Amino acid sequence: MRLILGSASPRRRDLLAQIGLTPDAVIPPEIDETPRKGELPRPCCARLAREKAAAVPVAGPDDVVLCADTVVALGRRILGKPADAGEAAAFLTALGGRRHQVITAVAVRRGDRVWLRESVSAVKMKRLSDAELNSYLDSGEWMGKAGGYAIQGRAGAFIPWISGSFTGIVGLPLAETAALLAAAGCPLYRSAA
């Protein structure tokens, strides 16, 4: 049995390492991550995680594929990965002083079976001063991040309150991930011999 991580995210690899797992292979799938017209954040996130899991090729029937998708939602609006600094600034300004949701869906596939769990966390971001916003944009940390920020980085200073899973906000909720991997028969806890 091989564990295949279907993600290029170094954060997801680091989170797996926290529970003692190292993927045997890292194979990021190529799918269109564009939300469908009128698609709500939670169903969109679940669909993308499933599609990613289905798109990862496996070598054997016992290979376990782990994929995830993270969506930042301001009400019904999905804030994806900003295309440029201008869009990142617009996202961060819209999030300022308000609560939003961070949804991470995790899909695990083994053979023809797929297990899926979602983590939904509430996050409040403070209103950013011009200096804070410009400094964050200059850092480039917003690039490739849903909603234009990474809570585990500099933006952690902008988040006074969360309710939910910190690891889910980072991009891989560990409690849900461990449960799914166990359901798929992936050994999580080995004694050190």
Side-chain angles (χ1 to χ4, degrees):
M1 173 187 298
R2 294 186 319 148
L3 174 60
I4 300 170
L5 176 61
S7 173
S9 166
R11 292 162 301 284
R12 289 192 175 121
R13 264 179 286 178
D14 291 345
L15 288 167
L16 275 177
Q18 284 184 23
I19 58 172
L21 294 176
T22 302
D24 297 297
V26 177
I27 306 172
E30 293 290 327
I31 68 161
D32 179 3
E33 296 188 39
T34 308
R36 294 178 178 155
K37 185 173 172 72
E39 193 171 31
L40 294 174
R42 195 165 173 173
C44 176
C45 191
R47 175 182 63 80
L48 290 173
R50 269 195 192 92
E51 286 182 6
K52 287 177 180 181
V56 174
V58 294
D62 284 336
D63 288 349
V64 175
V65 175
L66 169 65
C67 292
D69 190 75
T70 301
V71 167
V72 172
L74 189 56
R76 297 166 60 97
R77 181 178 168 206
I78 296 171
L79 304 182
K81 296 172 184 171
D84 54 35
E87 189 171 39
F91 286 176
L92 295 168
T93 301
L95 293 170
R98 302 173 70 182
R99 288 186 185 179
H100 60 278
Q101 287 189 324
V102 178
I103 305 152
T104 296
V106 180
V108 170
R109 175 172 63 104
R110 182 174 182 189
D112 293 333
R113 287 210 51 196
V114 176
W115 295 264
L116 183 95
R117 300 257 322 248
E118 298 164 14
S119 166
V120 181
S121 300
V123 180
K124 183 173 183 184
M125 181 178 286
K126 72 178 201 138
R127 281 191 174 87
L128 304 184
S129 69
D130 288 344
E132 289 169 324
L133 178 60
N134 290 327
S135 175
Y136 192 70
L137 293 173
D138 287 345
S139 77
E141 193 176 86
W142 56 270
M143 290 187 244
K145 309 292 191 309
Y149 75 93
I151 193 172
Q152 72 278 14
R154 294 175 182 209
F158 308 150
I159 310 293
W161 179 90
I162 71 166
S163 176
S165 167
F166 178 80
T167 57
I169 297 167
V170 174
L172 191 68
L174 291 180
E176 290 83 349
T177 299
L180 290 175
L181 290 171
C186 185
L188 294 173
Y189 308 103
R190 299 181 186 118
S191 60

